[in-house]
Amino acid sequence: MAGITDPRPPLPEWILKCYDLLCSHTSQPDRGKDAVQVIEYDDATDTLLSDSELALEQRDVEYALTRLLERGYFYEVEDELRVTSPEEQC
C-alpha cells in the first residue's frame, strides 16, 4: 500500500477495483478476535475473470493479483489469499 513515505506511485484504479471486488468475496473461516478474511487463489482468479464490468483477461488478473500481493494488500498462505489488515482495507 503506497503511503506518504512510499516512493512508488499508487496502484491504478482498475487494480483497486479488483481488490474491492475480491474483498466482497472473502470469507472469515474463524470468527474469533483475530479472524482473517480469506479467498482461495483460484476463486480470486475466477471472480476477477467473471466480472463483466472489469472485463479482464487472464494476464490482467495475474498482474493485478501480483501487484496486490507485492503492495501488501494480501499475503499468500498455500493457495489462499488473506487480507492483510481487514479493519483498515475492506
Side-chain angles (χ1 to χ4, degrees):
M1 293 170 280
I4 294 173
T5 60
D6 192 340
R8 301 175 294 186
L11 289 174
E13 187 65 30
W14 71 272
I15 293 179
L16 295 175
K17 286 182 182 180
C18 290
Y19 176 72
D20 290 339
L21 178 63
L22 293 175
C23 281
S24 70
H25 286 81
T26 60
S27 63
Q28 290 180 310
D30 176 11
R31 298 264 182 213
K33 177 184 170 196
D34 296 323
V36 175
Q37 292 176 274
V38 175
I39 187 167
E40 296 287 329
Y41 190 92
D42 289 341
D43 291 342
T45 299
D46 292 343
T47 298
L48 293 176
L49 285 172
S50 65
D51 187 78
S52 59
E53 186 177 318
L54 290 171
L56 300 175
E57 295 180 10
Q58 182 70 34
R59 292 175 67 187
D60 298 326
V61 169
E62 291 169 5
Y63 179 77
L65 291 174
T66 298
R67 296 290 306 274
L68 290 168
L69 284 163
E70 288 173 348
R71 290 291 182 98
Y73 284 80
F74 291 107
Y75 63 99
E76 192 169 7
V77 177
E78 295 179 7
D79 291 328
E80 292 179 340
L81 297 177
R82 298 180 181 191
V83 177
T84 304
S85 299
E87 66 279 352
E88 295 175 9
Q89 297 175 11
C90 288

